[in-house]
Amino acid sequence: MDRSLEVDQHKLVSAWQERLPALMDDGDSFSVLADNGDPNSLLIHFNAAGHQGYSLDFRCKYVDSREVAVDLLDVEQSGLHIDERSDAVQQLAQQYSRQIHECAQALQNLTNP
């Protein structure tokens, strides 16, 4: 059975924008954009509250209608690119990656009807 994603990308972005805030920590903010280069991917930008101005960019690619692959694309601190290998950044990246996976699961009624 083919489990390819058959959801309009803009509809998916809207669903993510509605669902993701419920999974996030207070004060954190985010944006979700369609990846114009890949109709099965979303670009998600997080601004971490109180973590020295960290922001992290992820690509969330739907491998199929039930599974996503999450890649950390970029980390900035106060607008400057930084090394993502520090403990603080790794903890944030793991937290946000988990939230992305939770959001994808919560939206399975849309992506895997």
Side-chain angles (χ1 to χ4, degrees):
M1 183 174 167
D2 182 19
R3 295 200 179 277
S4 62
L5 190 64
E6 296 179 11
V7 178
D8 176 72
Q9 194 177 31
H10 298 291
K11 187 175 179 181
L12 199 56
V13 167
S14 295
W16 274 78
Q17 289 170 336
E18 290 174 20
R19 185 68 183 108
L20 194 53
L23 303 170
M24 293 181 56
D25 293 342
D26 288 344
D28 286 0
S29 62
F30 74 97
S31 63
V32 179
L33 300 169
D35 181 346
N36 293 327
D38 182 350
N40 291 331
S41 292
L42 303 173
L43 300 175
I44 305 172
H45 175 86
F46 289 98
N47 292 307
H51 287 90
Q52 300 90 31
Y54 288 135
S55 66
L56 291 82
D57 293 313
F58 292 87
R59 175 177 290 118
C60 174
K61 179 176 176 62
Y62 276 85
V63 177
D64 61 28
S65 60
R66 296 180 303 176
E67 184 182 350
V68 294
V70 179
D71 293 312
L72 178 62
L73 301 177
D74 187 36
V75 180
E76 293 184 2
Q77 183 176 18
S78 303
L80 300 173
H81 296 281
I82 61 166
D83 185 350
E84 69 273 1
R85 292 174 293 202
S86 74
D87 286 345
V89 171
Q90 284 297 311
Q91 287 177 354
L92 278 174
Q94 288 174 357
Q95 171 189 326
Y96 290 139
S97 183
R98 197 166 41 248
Q99 290 168 343
I100 290 169
H101 282 285
E102 288 173 11
C103 190
Q105 282 187 322
L107 295 174
Q108 277 195 3
N109 61 337
L110 177 67
T111 61
N112 188 35

